[in-house]
Amino acid sequence: MAKSDVSRWWIAAEVLLGLSLVALPWSFGGAPEWTSWLLVSLASAAVLAWSVGASKNHRRWGWHPVLFLPALVGLVAVVQLVPLPPGLLSLVSPPAAELRDFNLVPLGLTRWRPVSMDVPSTLRGFSRAVSLGMLLFVALELGRVSGVRRRLFATLAMSATATAVCGFVHLLAGLDELFGVVQFGGNVPFLTPFGNTNHLSAWLLLGGTLGLGLSLDSKTRDEALGWGLCAFTCGVAVFLSYSRGGSASFVLTWLLVGAALLASRAGSVRQVLPWVLIGATIIGAGLLAFDQLVERADSLASVDKFKATKIALWPMLAHGVSQYPWLGMGLGAFELGFSRFHDHDLTVTFTHPETLPLQLVADLGVPGALLLACLGLWVGGRLWPRVRKSALDRTAFLALVGLLVHDVFDFSLELNAVPAAAAVVLGLLASLDDSKDRWAVRARGLTLAGATCAVAILPLAWGLPSHLAAERQLAGAVRERRAPPEVRALGLSLIDRHPADWVLYANLAADVASRSDPHEALAWVNRVVFLRPRDTRAHVDAARALLRLERPMQALAELKLAWSYGDPRTLELGLSLAEKEGDWSRVLLDQPGHLELVWNTLLSRARPADARAVLQAALDFPPSEAVRAEAALLVVRHDAERGNPAEALAALEALPQDVRERAELSTARAQLLSKLARPDEAVAELEHLLNREPQNVVVGFALSDLLASLRQHTASREVLQRVRPFAGTPALRSLVFQREAGLWLLEEKWPRAAEALQTASRIEPARPDLHYRAADVFERMGSLRSALDELQRGLELDSPEGAKARAPQVQRLEAALGTPPL
């Protein structure tokens, strides 16, 4: 057989692998559902092409230990899809058994159920695992062919560079839509086919690090500079994506590359170039993106703030994942399996845990996740001695390590673009193993390849449409007002396919509530609450059904749950029920601000007596001491607003000392003392409070204002300087300087007032009013040119209406300066 005839199929397989490195990233980062078909098609075509070439060349295929990784994931998915008897299901997955018993059996859906909380999602996850395994296998086999490894690494690096260049073009062109057509949701500062900056940074990390490896492994200076430029481009793009986790993992990966390079002890002058490239990329990119990175990193400026962003969600996510310890929720079924345990910010849907350890446990269970991690460490330990001798292979290996580090804080490996590239890179690195590390297989490769393709394609077909399509289908039937039996039959068929999708039950509950018996509506709502306990709309629907059943106190209990979960829209209905029953304590919650909301709602309805009754109930039967303090503060405010500061002060003094010492009550006491013409006592009260809580900027502002009203301007400025270090947000820091400017104005020290306002405008550069105020000060001090400059800066930021209102001042200054109008 001619050599060209033998290699033709392998060349086709290599081209298909390269196409997967280009097509999937440019298909919106592999995020859309339809890219699963692209992934399975490319993987199937690649494995078939290689198998035909191997058959023509009479070449056996070999099983390598790295293939255990996708095989294990696929095996666990198969187990998760097996229907189990109820008794065994309750042992293996209690949440799945509870779902069956509570939601499905009463509906007549009594068949055995699998562990997976959403079978179609797990079918798609199984297909994805097989497809990635096929890409890994083909890369593993082709990697032994001369030049394939470097060509595919180069393809990946160029594909990532093209993605970065796409972002630069959009940035320079000032476009807000991809190619002027596609609008991504949310803020995407660096426009590329990736709609998520964190996923973009993972892709650029992988491609940019491979570009660095190609530069290190180049034979000529020009080639090294070319690949170095690709690496530099990707590195800058990582920083311009403003992904904090992406930037940190990128820096860590390149530091690992540098450390490995140092450990290789190559001592030529040329070895200085990589360090120059690494340093130039990090420093140059950091300078370009410095302002935005600092602003985004402000949310991580302390341990407490960091916990409030990423880490704060981990306990909630871990709690939900821990309910499925043995076999997980089902591969790819996290979104529906987690809904029962979602208790923070229900406006956000968690499709993934956004951290790799929890993702593995959710997909595979604890035993499967531990086994996969051990296999990964074993494979990595086997590969490192093979790859560390080559700069390119070593850098590619470290790129995969950096990708894993990145996914500790994100989920780029759960989409289709980045994992496909990672599978190809891993297969190419595994091909460095000696032939004795492979286990030759005698089975006919072409037949086995065709069977594997079928195993990947058929589950994907069975796994579609997804639960999102089912939700749209049922919502359409409800919106069209189809006959109740037809809607119910459609709903049951979709629930049988997606039993954990709370949206399906919610649509049926809404339909039944408007057209059927309240008992049935309440039954559907209870199923929604079972799957989404903190869903406020479900609790409100339950309350309305209970009211129709004449159970007002049970309805009020449901309304209280809705309020406690952040939905106060039915507060007036709850207040009406409490008034009817004559017990205002039933509307109280141990939640900051709720009592004030109740108070303001009653006052807005001209019901001051009821408002005062609620406060008295909060004082007599408080859910907590915090609520009692809030009630006391509202009583003080009520008396003070009625023009009785003496009565308000007396009521405040009657409270227990520990309650009186709360910051808000101490501040209220100082205000009352000031109204009663006892300013020295008011100042002493606020100074005592500020000494006790020096970080309380609000108290500092109150003391500064009080001192300013007493014409003690120097003391007022000293207070502002005391609290300035604790002004943690740009808005607060700007406010400190604005207050200082106001004090300088009172003393008619115009230059210092202008300087303070200009500082405030630099802190909040998007506010035109700060420039206008600075312009007014400059005009008063006679610096007309500076005043006009400040006005022009404000006009550039202001709306057309606001700019028009400033036109007379601009004309006056231009006339005074003899400047022709613009």
Side-chain angles (χ1 to χ4, degrees):
M1 186 177 299
K3 182 177 180 181
S4 60
D5 192 38
V6 171
S7 61
R8 182 186 310 153
W9 294 98
W10 290 345
I11 292 174
E14 181 183 346
V15 169
L16 288 165
L17 287 185
L19 188 59
S20 71
L21 302 177
V22 176
L24 286 168
W26 283 82
S27 298
F28 302 104
E33 192 174 90
W34 55 264
T35 59
S36 297
W37 286 108
L38 181 59
L39 172 63
V40 74
S41 299
L42 290 171
S44 299
V47 79
L48 287 173
W50 182 87
S51 299
V52 171
S55 176
K56 288 180 174 293
N57 199 31
H58 303 289
R59 177 173 172 177
R60 292 180 180 177
W61 65 281
W63 180 272
H64 187 278
V66 75
L67 295 173
F68 280 121
L69 297 174
L72 174 63
V73 175
L75 179 62
V76 173
V78 169
V79 174
Q80 292 170 338
L81 291 168
V82 176
L84 301 177
L88 181 57
L89 184 63
S90 63
L91 292 175
V92 176
S93 180
E98 292 170 1
L99 172 64
R100 177 184 181 275
D101 295 338
F102 187 86
N103 272 22
L104 303 181
V105 170
L107 296 176
L109 305 176
T110 58
R111 63 184 177 88
W112 291 5
R113 295 284 166 175
V115 168
S116 173
M117 299 301 288
D118 189 60
V119 170
S121 296
T122 302
L123 285 169
R124 297 195 304 275
F126 173 78
S127 170
R128 181 172 173 273
V130 175
S131 300
L132 294 175
M134 288 193 290
L135 290 177
L136 192 155
F137 170 78
V138 176
L140 172 69
E141 296 297 335
L142 286 179
R144 291 181 288 172
V145 180
S146 176
V148 168
R149 221 169 35 253
R150 187 176 183 87
R151 286 196 296 270
L152 288 175
F153 285 157
T155 301
L156 199 160
M158 288 188 291
S159 179
T161 303
T163 306
V165 171
C166 174
F168 290 130
V169 171
H170 283 79
L171 194 63
L172 293 173
L175 296 177
D176 295 326
E177 297 177 330
L178 182 64
F179 306 126
V181 176
V182 181
Q183 178 69 53
F184 290 120
N187 181 27
V188 184
F190 196 67
L191 271 177
T192 68
F194 287 77
N196 182 287
T197 56
N198 293 316
H199 301 161
L200 170 65
S201 66
W203 167 245
L204 294 173
L205 181 153
L206 183 60
T209 307
L210 279 171
L212 177 62
L214 289 163
S215 177
L216 297 177
D217 196 55
S218 297
K219 304 301 181 184
T220 66
R221 182 190 305 171
D222 291 343
E223 185 181 357
L225 290 175
W227 287 119
L229 180 61
C230 290
F232 179 80
T233 302
C234 291
V236 172
V238 168
F239 282 84
L240 290 179
S241 71
Y242 305 138
S243 168
R244 295 164 297 191
S247 300
S249 54
F250 175 82
V251 171
L252 175 62
T253 303
W254 279 37
L255 288 177
L256 289 175
V257 173
L261 181 66
L262 185 64
S264 67
R265 299 183 180 181
S268 66
V269 175
R270 187 176 171 188
Q271 297 303 320
V272 176
L273 290 177
W275 296 100
V276 174
L277 177 60
I278 292 173
T281 301
I282 293 174
I283 294 174
L287 289 175
L288 286 173
F290 180 77
D291 291 338
Q292 286 289 339
L293 285 172
V294 168
E295 182 177 340
R296 285 175 61 83
D298 183 65
S299 61
L300 304 180
S302 67
V303 174
D304 292 338
K305 291 180 181 180
F306 185 67
K307 288 180 179 178
T309 52
K310 283 282 187 181
I311 294 181
L313 298 174
W314 287 1
M316 175 187 68
L317 296 166
H319 171 68
V321 170
S322 66
Q323 306 305 308
Y324 306 82
W326 301 113
L327 287 173
M329 303 178 182
L331 192 63
F334 177 84
E335 180 178 348
L336 298 184
F338 177 68
S339 64
R340 285 182 59 186
F341 311 99
H342 185 178
D343 57 14
H344 284 55
D345 192 4
L346 267 67
T347 61
V348 177
T349 298
F350 287 93
T351 58
H352 301 82
E354 299 195 29
T355 176
L356 185 60
L358 291 181
Q359 182 70 61
L360 293 178
V361 175
D363 283 344
L364 308 174
V366 174
L370 289 176
L371 184 55
L372 186 67
C374 291
L375 275 174
L377 290 173
W378 177 54
V379 169
R382 286 171 56 93
L383 289 181
W384 178 248
R386 274 89 169 165
V387 304
R388 65 182 181 182
K389 299 175 183 178
S390 165
L392 175 57
D393 298 326
R394 182 177 64 234
T395 305
F397 181 89
L398 293 175
L400 294 179
V401 173
L403 197 57
L404 293 175
V405 172
H406 175 276
D407 267 47
V408 171
F409 299 97
D410 217 302
F411 60 101
S412 66
L413 291 174
E414 299 307 311
L415 302 180
N416 289 325
V418 176
V424 172
V425 172
L426 181 59
L428 294 174
L429 294 178
S431 68
L432 294 170
D433 268 349
D434 299 330
S435 57
K436 60 184 176 60
D437 294 318
R438 302 165 183 266
W439 306 324
V441 180
R442 296 182 180 276
R444 294 178 63 86
L446 191 56
T447 302
L448 190 60
T452 306
C453 294
V455 167
I457 293 172
L458 291 177
L460 179 59
W462 294 333
L464 294 174
S466 66
H467 67 280
L468 298 176
E471 292 169 7
R472 289 192 293 269
Q473 184 180 0
L474 184 57
V478 171
R479 191 165 50 249
E480 294 168 5
R481 306 291 290 178
R482 298 183 191 174
E486 183 182 353
V487 173
R488 190 177 192 277
L490 175 61
L492 287 179
S493 66
L494 296 175
I495 287 173
D496 192 29
R497 181 174 170 83
H498 306 282
D501 188 358
W502 67 272
V503 177
L504 299 176
Y505 298 92
N507 282 327
L508 286 171
D511 184 64
V512 171
S514 63
R515 300 197 286 182
S516 300
D517 181 67
H519 288 91
E520 185 180 356
L522 189 60
W524 284 112
V525 170
N526 285 336
R527 291 183 171 89
V528 178
V529 173
F530 175 80
L531 288 171
R532 191 172 164 90
R534 298 179 69 92
D535 185 73
T536 58
R537 180 178 176 182
H539 288 291
V540 171
D541 289 343
R544 296 190 186 281
L546 288 166
L547 285 175
R548 292 174 63 187
L549 295 172
E550 298 182 354
R551 299 176 187 174
M553 286 300 95
Q554 289 178 265
L556 184 56
E558 292 291 337
L559 291 176
K560 286 182 66 174
L561 287 173
W563 303 336
S564 65
Y565 296 153
D567 185 1
R569 290 176 294 179
T570 54
L571 186 60
E572 293 185 20
L573 175 60
L575 294 176
S576 299
L577 292 177
E579 182 185 19
K580 182 179 178 181
E581 296 298 320
D583 189 353
W584 292 108
S585 64
R586 293 180 180 271
V587 301
L588 299 177
L589 293 176
D590 184 12
Q591 185 170 303
H594 178 74
L595 180 60
E596 184 172 2
L597 181 62
V598 172
W599 160 267
N600 289 330
T601 301
L602 290 171
L603 288 182
S604 67
R605 294 290 178 263
R607 296 163 61 183
D610 290 340
R612 189 58 185 258
V614 170
L615 296 184
Q616 192 60 48
L619 291 172
D620 295 337
F621 309 102
S624 68
E625 287 302 316
V627 173
R628 174 180 288 179
E630 186 178 0
L633 179 60
L634 290 173
V635 169
V636 171
R637 280 177 47 188
H638 176 259
D639 291 339
E641 289 170 358
R642 289 193 310 170
N644 297 315
E647 293 182 12
L649 183 61
L652 194 153
E653 298 288 359
L655 295 173
Q657 183 176 356
D658 59 331
V659 177
R660 290 202 312 269
E661 290 183 350
R662 293 178 179 271
E664 60 271 19
L665 289 177
S666 293
T667 304
R669 185 174 184 273
Q671 293 171 347
L672 292 172
L673 289 169
S674 180
K675 289 182 179 180
L676 292 171
R678 296 159 63 181
D680 294 340
E681 294 179 61
V683 170
E685 180 77 21
L686 290 176
E687 284 182 341
H688 174 72
L689 178 59
L690 189 60
N691 290 332
R692 195 175 72 221
E693 300 182 14
Q695 76 285 356
N696 197 325
V697 180
V698 175
V699 174
F701 286 166
L703 179 56
S704 175
D705 291 344
L706 181 57
L707 291 171
S709 68
L710 298 174
R711 299 184 181 276
Q712 300 180 26
H713 300 147
T714 301
S716 179
R717 280 195 299 274
E718 290 175 353
V719 171
L720 291 176
Q721 291 172 2
R722 284 174 59 186
V723 300
R724 184 188 298 174
F726 302 103
T729 65
L732 277 178
R733 290 196 295 273
S734 172
L735 195 56
V736 170
F737 285 102
Q738 291 177 56
R739 287 173 176 268
E740 287 185 358
L743 293 172
W744 291 121
L745 287 174
L746 291 174
E747 298 181 37
E748 297 186 357
K749 294 183 178 180
W750 316 121
R752 292 196 173 187
E755 181 182 358
L757 286 171
Q758 287 181 316
T759 302
S761 67
R762 285 193 291 271
I763 295 174
E764 292 187 286
R767 287 185 54 179
D769 62 301
L770 295 177
H771 293 287
Y772 294 154
R773 290 170 60 185
D776 293 338
V777 174
F778 278 121
E779 186 175 3
R780 294 174 70 176
M781 60 188 289
S783 298
L784 302 185
R785 173 58 61 186
S786 298
L788 185 59
D789 290 343
E790 288 292 337
L791 272 177
Q792 294 295 350
R793 294 189 186 101
L795 294 174
E796 292 174 0
L797 299 171
D798 208 350
S799 63
E801 295 78 12
K804 185 177 180 180
R806 285 281 170 171
Q809 185 179 7
V810 174
Q811 294 170 1
R812 184 176 67 250
L813 290 174
E814 289 175 342
L817 290 169
T819 304
L822 295 178

